[in-house]
Amino acid sequence: MSAPITVLGIESSCDDTAAAVVCGVAGNANILSNVVFGQTDIHADFGGVVPEIAARAHAEKIDHVVEQALISADTNLTNIGAIAVTAGPGLIGGVLSGVMCAKGLSLATGKPLIGVNHLAGHALTPQLTDGIEFPYLILLVSGGHCQFLLVEGHDTYTRLGGTIDDAPGEAFDKTARILGLPQPGGPAVETAASEGNASVYSLPRPLLNRDDCNMSFSGLKTAILRARDDVISTHGGLPTQARADLCAGFQEAVTDVLVAKARKALAVARSIAPSVKTLAVAGGVAANGQIRMALRQLCAETETVFVAPPLVLCTDNAAMIAYTGLLRFNAGVIDDLTLSARPRWPLDQKSASLTGSGKKGAKS
Ligand code: KG4
Ligand code: ZN
């Protein structure tokens, strides 16, 4: 077994500037600090992440966030064994800020530099939080990502399927906008849905009849837009109850699609790696109570262990980057100062994403 190592992680691929210190070995590491500076307020007036504004904010904040992570871990650069940084996929300006910062630190201290794939960070989080062993299945489901990954090692991923258009978080956000609810849309839609009846409006479950693990959410958002317009033309406005019913119907449709495709993905994962015991989730949408509950129920039915890391580690953070760096360091994978930022970087090179870039960068 490798000796414990302390890794500084840096993340700046979207709208969170983050740094963290993680110490330990594969399957048993502790998070000594985890600092995240979010940019939600900065982008609030624009209805989405503005890449140039995000890049500038990362560049301004990154040194400070790294310093805070070291202070709150009660350590300093001398005690750090390696510096891990998100090198992609993501918004190029933000990724560059992190990579330049990490290169500068590595050059100044002589510590090894490790470039990390952001999606690998999400995919390896259940091992950081719950020590689960490979192989396992993970559903990454956020505003920017939506895919099922079979994880067989720190660098062995099979993408079993994903969205062919919007990510679910994006669909929650757009639905909130259509219904006049605040951003981020997920929590607002979930709150409104708790007062609604999901069976009032008949909404589509796209691609459910297809025997694969791909999903589609953009038609659902269009159906919500049409239903809202019908309600407005009938009532001369959008009554609170109709809004709640639309939210409940939307949430249930997303849940049905995710659960049906997770069932399929479990079967496919087990046909490739029969020892798969766990289904994990990560990403902001994994905060949704109905979705969590339905996935937990699916796991109970299929004798599968369900793992949902704490929300702060489901959403973008640098602890997952530090932990991925730790695994890469143990495997002897170290970069040099030629490390470059990669806006696109599919985890599974054999079956790359079906979608292009979303508002937050590469989607799946
Ligand atoms: O992982 P995340 O913080 O950022 C990225 O997209 O990378 O996820 C944010 C997304 C947003 O689209 C937000 O609306 C959604 O996660 N979200 C939720 C909930 N909380 C956050 N979606 C559904 N239900 C929630 N409770
Ligand atoms: Zn992410």
Side-chain angles (χ1 to χ4, degrees), residues 118 122 145 316:
H118 176 87
H122 280 303
H145 322 292
D316 287 353

Side-chain angles (χ1 to χ4, degrees), residues 75-88:
T75 192
N76 55 51
L77 283 172
T78 314
N79 299 325
I80 295 294
I83 298 163
V85 61
T86 300

Side-chain angles (χ1 to χ4, degrees), residues 11 13-14 89 118-119 122 140 142 144-145 283 314-317 320:
E11 154 65 35
S13 64
C14 185
H118 176 87
L119 298 172
H122 280 303
L140 297 186
S142 70
H145 322 292
C314 274
T315 53
D316 287 353
N317 67 87
M320 66 182 192

Side-chain angles (χ1 to χ4, degrees), residues 14-16 118 122 141-145 167-173 183-191 250-251 282-289 291 311 314-316 359-360:
C14 185
D15 57 351
D16 291 300
H118 176 87
H122 280 303
V141 65
S142 70
H145 322 292
E170 204 175 350
F172 267 97
D173 295 340
Q183 298 294 314
V189 169
E190 184 173 14
T191 304
F250 167 82
Q251 185 172 274
V285 179
N288 187 281
I291 293 171
L311 199 60
C314 274
T315 53
D316 287 353
K359 67 180 170 121
K360 293 183 162 195

